[in-house]
């Protein structure tokens, strides 16, 4: 196991992961952010270098201070060899199994490995499955102007409480801290009413992923998510990031809205897995995605 801290090696890894898209999307987006200031305090592990078979990103030890905060204790995984995947994820020096954590992957082996290790350790695991979507040509995305009286803007830190209180999976202090991190350090977009209150918004995460898309219930059915997603996609593309997200399989309105914007549904499954000690005493709510809201609810983390 190696921690890549050399800037030149991390840039080389970014190029290697780019050639493996879309399979490498999650770790690729994270490594891109690591190479551009690392606002989430992530570090990158490989099983070997330069011929790696497994890449794992995780929070630095000084970031993962709260053992119960699975929002911050965020891992992304990609493997070329399932044996290497099992070896690295099972290594307690690579994954802190004494903490609550969230791990994301686009490969069945990540899910199966985490499931098997969690069972062997007597831990519970909550599984959230999403359909991954990628936009192949963001500059070609249709651009929609806001309705009269509304304006587009980045999400303000002043609105973090509103976002927390409307987030199905995050009405707690951990999620407020996490949302504040996303708002302050990652691209975002929202639609403001004449009083300056957000009525529709979308954030991006440390893996350069469209997340927490939401439209206030009284404003749904008016396609407000379209200009919001367009603005955020343009920001990410201008910085060189892929434009991708994930939607729960039953949320046909969101899938349809994103496909109208040019997103393609990728094969396979996007796994979000929560593991934490004492999980059975504090079950999160089931993943719920409003079928009335066409904004992508991708990356909606489970609630404590």
């Amino acid at each position: 196991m190696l921690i890549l801290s050399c800037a030149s090696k991390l840039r080389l890894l970014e190029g290697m992961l780019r050639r493996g898209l879309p399979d490498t999307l999650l770790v690729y987006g994270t490594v891109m952010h690591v190479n551009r200031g690392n606002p989430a305090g992530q570090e990158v592990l490989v099983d070997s270098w330069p011929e790696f078979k497994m890449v794992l990103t995780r929070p630095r030890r000084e970031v993962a201070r709260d053992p119960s905060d699975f929002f911050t204790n965020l891992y992304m995984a990609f493997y070329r060899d399932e044996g290497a995947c099992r070896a690295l994820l099972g290594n307690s020096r690579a994954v802190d199994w004494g903490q609550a954590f969230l791990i994301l992957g686009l490969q069945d082996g990540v899910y199966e490995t985490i499931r098997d290790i969690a069972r062997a350790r007597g831990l519970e695991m909550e599984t959230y499955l999403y359909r991954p979507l990628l936009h192949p040509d963001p500059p070609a995305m249709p651009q929609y102007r806001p309705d009269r009286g509304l304006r587009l803007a980045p999400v303000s830190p002043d609105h973090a409480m509103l976002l927390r209180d409307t987030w199905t999976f995050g009405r707690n202090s951990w999620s407020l801290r996490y949302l504040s991190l996303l708002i302050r350090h990652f691209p975002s977009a929202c639609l403001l009413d004449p009083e300056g209150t957000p009525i529709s918004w979308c954030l991006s995460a440390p893996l350069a992923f469209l997340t927490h898309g939401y439209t206030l219930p009284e404003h749904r059915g008016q396609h407000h998510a379209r200009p919001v997603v367009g603005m955020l996609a343009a920001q990410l593309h201008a910085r060189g990031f892929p434009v991708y997200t994930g939607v729960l399989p039953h949320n046909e309105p969101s899938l349809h809205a994103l496909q109208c914007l040019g997103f393609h549904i990728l094969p396979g499954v996007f796994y979000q897995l929560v593991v934490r000690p004492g999980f059975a005493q504090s079950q999160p709510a089931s993943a719920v995605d409003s079928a009335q809201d066409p904004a992508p609810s991708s990356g909606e983390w489970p609630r404590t």
Side-chain angles (χ1 to χ4, degrees):
M1 181 188 82
L2 301 170
I3 299 175
L4 295 186
S5 57
C6 173
S8 61
K9 290 181 179 179
L10 286 167
R11 288 194 298 268
L12 181 58
L13 176 63
E14 181 181 324
M16 294 175 176
L17 295 171
R18 185 185 306 115
R19 292 191 289 274
L21 292 171
D23 295 340
T24 60
L25 270 169
L26 306 186
V27 292
Y28 174 63
T30 307
V31 170
M32 286 189 72
H33 274 306
V34 169
N35 287 337
R36 290 157 180 77
N38 200 11
Q42 290 272 311
E43 61 186 8
V44 182
L45 285 69
V46 293
D47 65 310
S48 58
W49 185 259
E51 298 298 325
F52 66 87
K53 297 179 181 177
M54 171 73 182
V55 182
L56 180 70
T57 66
R58 70 181 185 188
R60 291 175 173 167
R61 295 305 186 196
E62 62 269 23
V63 172
R65 294 190 300 268
D66 186 341
S68 301
D69 183 2
F70 57 80
F71 290 93
T72 300
N73 299 337
L74 179 62
Y75 294 74
M76 267 69 69
F78 167 75
Y79 66 86
R80 292 171 171 167
D81 178 86
E82 193 164 342
C85 174
R86 287 186 173 271
L88 191 59
L89 293 180
N91 187 334
S92 59
R93 293 186 298 116
V95 177
D96 189 343
W97 287 89
Q99 288 188 325
F101 66 89
L102 178 66
I103 185 165
L104 292 79
L106 286 170
Q107 297 163 293
D108 294 343
V110 173
Y111 161 70
E112 293 164 356
T113 299
I114 295 295
R115 178 199 62 195
D116 293 348
I117 297 173
R119 285 177 178 173
R121 291 174 176 265
L123 305 173
E124 294 288 337
M125 181 182 77
E126 187 80 355
T127 302
Y128 297 80
L129 309 179
Y130 294 81
R131 299 182 74 176
L133 296 97
L134 172 70
H135 202 292
D137 186 14
M141 184 182 298
Q143 295 299 308
Y144 295 91
R145 293 184 178 180
D147 293 345
R148 179 178 247 177
L150 306 178
R151 63 185 177 90
L152 286 167
V155 178
S156 167
D158 295 338
H159 299 135
M161 288 289 287
L162 171 64
L163 269 63
R164 184 201 68 172
D165 293 343
T166 54
W167 195 12
T168 305
F169 304 123
R171 299 184 182 113
N172 54 62
S173 59
W174 298 326
S175 63
L176 179 61
R177 180 168 58 194
Y178 181 71
L179 290 169
S180 296
L181 169 74
L182 299 191
I183 293 168
R184 291 181 183 278
H185 297 292
F186 297 92
S188 66
C190 70
L191 198 58
L192 301 174
D193 68 11
E195 287 73 44
T197 300
I199 63 173
S200 183
W201 56 82
C202 193
L203 306 180
S204 62
L207 53 158
F209 177 84
L210 302 187
T211 188
H212 192 35
Y214 189 83
T215 300
L216 294 177
E218 60 270 28
H219 294 280
R220 292 175 184 167
Q222 302 175 60
H223 306 298
H224 288 321
R226 290 178 176 179
V228 171
V229 172
M231 176 183 175
L232 182 51
Q235 291 182 70
L236 289 167
H237 179 72
R239 302 181 188 194
F241 288 94
V243 177
Y244 73 111
T245 188
V247 174
L248 289 168
H250 67 262
N251 191 349
E252 293 297 334
S254 288
L255 291 169
H256 177 72
L258 291 168
Q259 287 177 294
C260 288
L261 291 172
F263 283 82
H264 291 181
I265 299 176
L266 299 176
V269 175
F270 175 23
Y271 294 96
Q272 294 183 4
L273 311 172
V274 179
V275 180
R276 53 180 171 178
F279 189 94
Q281 285 72 45
S282 183
Q283 287 280 7
S286 298
V288 176
D289 209 18
S290 172
Q292 303 175 45
D293 186 3
S297 58
S298 45
E300 295 265 21
W301 316 119
R303 159 172 86 181
T304 59

